[in-house]
């Protein structure tokens, strides 16, 4: 069962693409011509979004027969068949681009996440996402991160406190910002503080932050911060982290590594749909 937000997103995507109608399919293909289509990969990676694809097809035509050949989270290779779909040719062609857009984008997010997760597999650190998501796509992109082996950071501004540099500047200090937050929020909500140096780390420890983010620190400074925190808070590393250095970051002993690039810079997988007349 799709959430209302995802169902609305699919509706928006279809309205955006179809508008007042698929004039090409409607003008070239008789209404009752039936067809079969195969969705296949032209890339290697982790597949995601197959159930969303089925929902797109069924919003266009409830009578379409959509069969997944694999499941989200499976590794795919070039020329691998992913799904088979049968129904009216017009309906298949009308749904094609929106279906592929969802699968390609979500598979791209899952794939890059899996690469980061694999790079830190020997350490306790877990790869997590950020709020740097495509507007309207957050629930789906965060789902794709989980499919790729990562975890989710806060979903939005409402489900966790994350005190960043601008909050600190306005509040006057980390200590004051945390004190104010603790007076306002329920005890069930955690408080995280973004720190840029060891003095801020020490202040966050003393103010009893639940999570301390080490933002854009060097590997050496991260190692010192982890020792300073010494289990008194969850430690998150963020900023300037790439596949080339993520293992070194994990080696410092941090608990979480948040990476905006797994959503904002993911490259979509190349996936196509080929029609075969029945």
């Amino acid at each position: 069962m799709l959430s209302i937000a995802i169902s609305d997103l699919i509706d928006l995507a279809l309205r955006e693409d179809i508008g007042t109608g698929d004039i090409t399919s409607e003008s070239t293909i008789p209404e009752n011509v039936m067809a079969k289509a195969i969705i296949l990969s032209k890339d290697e990676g982790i597949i995601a979004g197959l159930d969303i694809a089925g929902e797109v097809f069924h919003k266009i035509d409830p009578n379409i027969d959509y069969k997944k050949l694999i499941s989200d989270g499976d590794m795919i290779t070039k020329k691998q068949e992913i799904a088979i779909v049968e129904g009216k040719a017009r309906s298949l062609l009308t749904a094609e681009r929106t279906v592929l857009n969802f699968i390609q984008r979500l598979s791209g997010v899952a794939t890059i996440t899996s690469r980061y997760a694999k790079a830190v597999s020997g350490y306790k650190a877990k790869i997590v996402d950020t709020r740097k998501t495509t507007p309207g796509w957050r629930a789906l992109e965060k789902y794709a991160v989980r499919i790729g082996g990562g975890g989710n950071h806060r979903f939005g501004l409402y489900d966790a406190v994350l005190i960043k540099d601008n909050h600190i500047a306005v509040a006057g200090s980390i200590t004051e910002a945390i004190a104010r937050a603790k007076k306002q929020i329920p005890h069930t909500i955690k408080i995280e503080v973004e720190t840029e140096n060891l003095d801020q780390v020490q202040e966050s420890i003393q103010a009893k932050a639940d999570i301390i983010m080490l933002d854009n620190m060097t590997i050496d400074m991260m190692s010192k911060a982890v020792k300073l925190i010494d289990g008194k808070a969850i430690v998150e590393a963020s900023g300037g982290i790439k596949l080339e250095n993520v293992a070194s970051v994990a080696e410092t002993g941090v608990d979480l590594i948040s990476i905006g690039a797994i959503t904002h810079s993911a490259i979509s997988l190349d996936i196509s749909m080929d029609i075969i007349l029945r």
Side-chain angles (χ1 to χ4, degrees):
M1 187 74 172
L2 287 183
S3 70
I4 293 174
I6 294 175
S7 183
D8 287 348
L9 177 60
I10 293 173
D11 290 339
L12 175 63
L14 289 172
R15 288 197 303 271
E16 177 182 63
D17 199 37
I18 299 169
T20 57
D22 178 0
I23 60 174
T24 306
S25 297
E26 292 169 5
S27 64
T28 61
I29 299 172
E31 182 179 0
N32 293 320
V33 171
M34 305 298 286
K36 175 180 179 181
I38 298 174
I39 299 175
L40 69 159
S41 173
K42 294 184 177 180
D43 262 336
E44 296 182 352
I46 303 295
I47 195 71
L50 293 180
D51 290 336
I52 302 299
E55 291 292 334
V56 174
F57 278 122
H58 292 146
K59 278 180 178 283
I60 293 293
D61 183 349
N63 294 317
I64 286 176
D65 183 20
Y66 171 73
K67 294 180 181 178
K68 299 182 296 180
L69 301 178
I70 56 176
S71 299
D72 279 6
D74 287 348
M75 173 67 74
I76 54 173
T77 57
K78 293 180 180 179
K79 298 182 179 180
Q80 181 174 345
E81 294 185 357
I82 296 169
I84 296 175
V85 58
E86 298 184 65
K88 289 184 177 181
R90 280 188 184 182
S91 297
L92 301 187
L93 290 168
T94 299
E96 176 183 4
R97 177 41 51 199
T98 303
V99 163
L100 295 179
N101 283 348
F102 277 110
I103 299 176
Q104 289 179 149
R105 173 65 184 162
L106 297 179
S107 297
V109 172
T111 298
I112 188 63
T113 301
S114 72
R115 291 173 184 163
Y116 275 97
K118 183 178 180 180
V120 301
S121 61
Y123 303 96
K124 71 173 181 177
K126 186 175 184 65
I127 301 298
V128 297
D129 52 30
T130 70
R131 287 168 46 242
K132 296 176 182 177
T133 54
T134 308
W137 281 65
R138 184 166 295 170
L140 287 178
E141 290 179 348
K142 283 181 172 285
Y143 163 76
V145 166
R146 297 194 302 273
I147 289 296
N152 296 146
H153 206 289
R154 61 177 177 163
F155 193 90
L157 294 172
Y158 54 85
D159 59 351
V161 173
L162 176 44
I163 300 169
K164 306 187 86 171
D165 54 352
N166 286 328
H167 299 103
I168 296 167
V170 175
S173 69
I174 289 173
T175 302
E176 182 63 23
I178 292 178
R180 291 180 185 177
K182 286 186 175 182
K183 289 180 181 179
Q184 296 292 327
I185 63 173
H187 69 278
T188 54
I189 294 180
K190 292 183 177 181
I191 297 175
E192 179 170 8
V193 180
E194 177 186 89
T195 63
E196 298 176 349
N197 54 59
L198 295 179
D199 287 340
Q200 289 186 332
V201 170
Q202 183 62 54
E203 185 178 0
S204 298
I205 295 170
Q206 291 174 342
K208 300 188 183 306
D210 299 298
I211 308 164
I212 299 174
M213 178 192 293
L214 312 179
D215 187 46
N216 283 295
M217 291 188 182
T218 64
I219 298 297
D220 180 61
M221 189 180 291
M222 282 186 204
S223 297
K224 291 177 180 177
V226 170
K227 291 178 181 177
L228 187 61
I229 296 166
D230 192 28
K232 299 179 185 71
I234 295 170
V235 186
E236 175 186 339
S238 186
I241 300 169
K242 304 180 185 300
L243 272 173
E244 294 76 19
N245 68 353
V246 69
S248 296
V249 173
E251 193 173 10
T252 65
V254 298
D255 301 295
L256 304 169
I257 302 175
S258 56
I259 302 172
I262 60 178
T263 51
H264 72 61
S265 296
I267 298 175
S268 296
L269 261 62
D270 190 1
I271 295 169
S272 67
M273 187 179 92
D274 292 343
I275 291 281
I276 302 170
L277 287 176
R278 295 201 305 187

